[in-house]
Amino acid sequence: MDFPDIVKESDIIIKGKVVEILPSVEEKPVIVTSEEDAKKAAEKGETCIFIVSNEKEKEAAKRYSSIIYTDKIIKVEKYLKNPQSKNKIIVREEGGKIGDKEVVVAGITPLKLGDYIILFLKKIPLKNVYFIKGGPQGQYFIQKDLAVCKGIETKKVSELEAEIKDPLKLTFPLRPIR
């Protein structure tokens, strides 16, 4: 997924800080075939919903007997897309630890307490909870005046904020971290 698509498909984009990490939760996923069925499942209180469009995806989804996720509370410093009135939001990340059982998602850097970040977020239907859009491309860790994506790309925070406002005007080149 490229940057303009991540910006476009994100419901909100925020700059903020992780202020609390809630205990991890394990749930059995519900598999549905439409957005309408997903909304019905969410209305019934289901929080772990897979939407599949064909038999291959349905079979792949069945591999997940349960999902462990962890909710993180983010104090919003600034909304970069679609401003809201809330100064704190919940971001749900797949993975976490319950007792001796731990799930780590390959390629994703889990948010930690105190992380200062820019996140591209998609709302979970009928919940006041968001997930990171675009996987590792949807999270930038702020270090001084730099925004670091995936630990290998970096740019000035001001450049990233300008690109979010106009995603077709990307600033190049990305500079490696030294």
Side-chain angles (χ1 to χ4, degrees):
M1 180 172 274
D2 63 10
F3 186 81
D5 289 335
I6 294 172
V7 171
K8 181 180 176 186
E9 294 180 22
S10 295
D11 291 326
I12 62 173
I13 301 172
I14 63 158
K15 179 188 212 179
K17 187 175 186 176
V18 180
V19 294
E20 186 177 352
I21 298 176
L22 302 177
S24 296
V25 174
E26 183 173 18
E27 289 188 359
K28 180 174 176 38
V30 174
I31 301 169
V32 298
T33 56
S34 70
E35 287 282 335
E36 184 178 314
D37 289 343
K39 287 180 182 176
K40 287 178 186 174
E43 287 169 354
K44 292 178 183 176
E46 299 291 346
T47 58
C48 185
I49 303 167
F50 286 176
I51 301 173
V52 298
S53 58
N54 58 49
E55 282 302 313
K56 186 177 179 180
E57 287 180 357
K58 189 175 185 178
E59 289 305 311
K62 286 181 181 177
R63 291 181 296 162
Y64 296 95
S65 58
S66 68
I67 300 289
I68 292 179
Y69 63 82
T70 307
D71 289 344
K72 319 282 174 88
I73 301 193
I74 313 297
K75 185 172 195 267
V76 179
E77 175 184 302
K78 182 179 182 182
Y79 283 91
L80 303 172
K81 177 184 177 185
N82 195 12
Q84 310 285 305
S85 60
K86 301 173 194 159
N87 66 348
K88 288 184 181 176
I89 62 166
I90 299 172
V91 174
R92 179 164 293 166
E93 288 189 297
E94 189 174 343
K97 187 172 182 176
I98 298 176
D100 293 339
K101 192 177 195 179
E102 184 173 14
V103 174
V104 178
V105 179
I108 302 291
T109 304
L111 298 174
K112 296 185 295 289
L113 196 60
D115 280 346
Y116 188 37
I117 40 102
I118 292 175
L119 298 175
F120 297 70
L121 301 170
K122 189 81 176 162
K123 191 172 189 289
I124 296 173
L126 301 173
K127 301 283 178 189
N128 284 320
V129 177
Y130 295 84
F131 66 90
I132 298 171
K133 182 70 184 168
Q137 294 172 291
Q139 61 184 28
Y140 284 78
F141 294 86
I142 300 172
Q143 300 171 357
K144 297 185 183 178
D145 67 340
L146 299 177
V148 180
C149 179
K150 298 186 286 186
I152 56 169
E153 299 174 340
T154 184
K155 59 179 59 191
K156 289 185 176 181
V157 171
S158 59
E159 290 174 355
L160 180 60
E161 289 181 8
E163 289 172 8
I164 290 167
K165 288 180 183 164
D166 190 355
L168 298 177
K169 291 185 179 177
L170 297 176
T171 54
F172 287 100
L174 296 172
R175 295 176 295 280
I177 298 172
R178 299 190 193 277

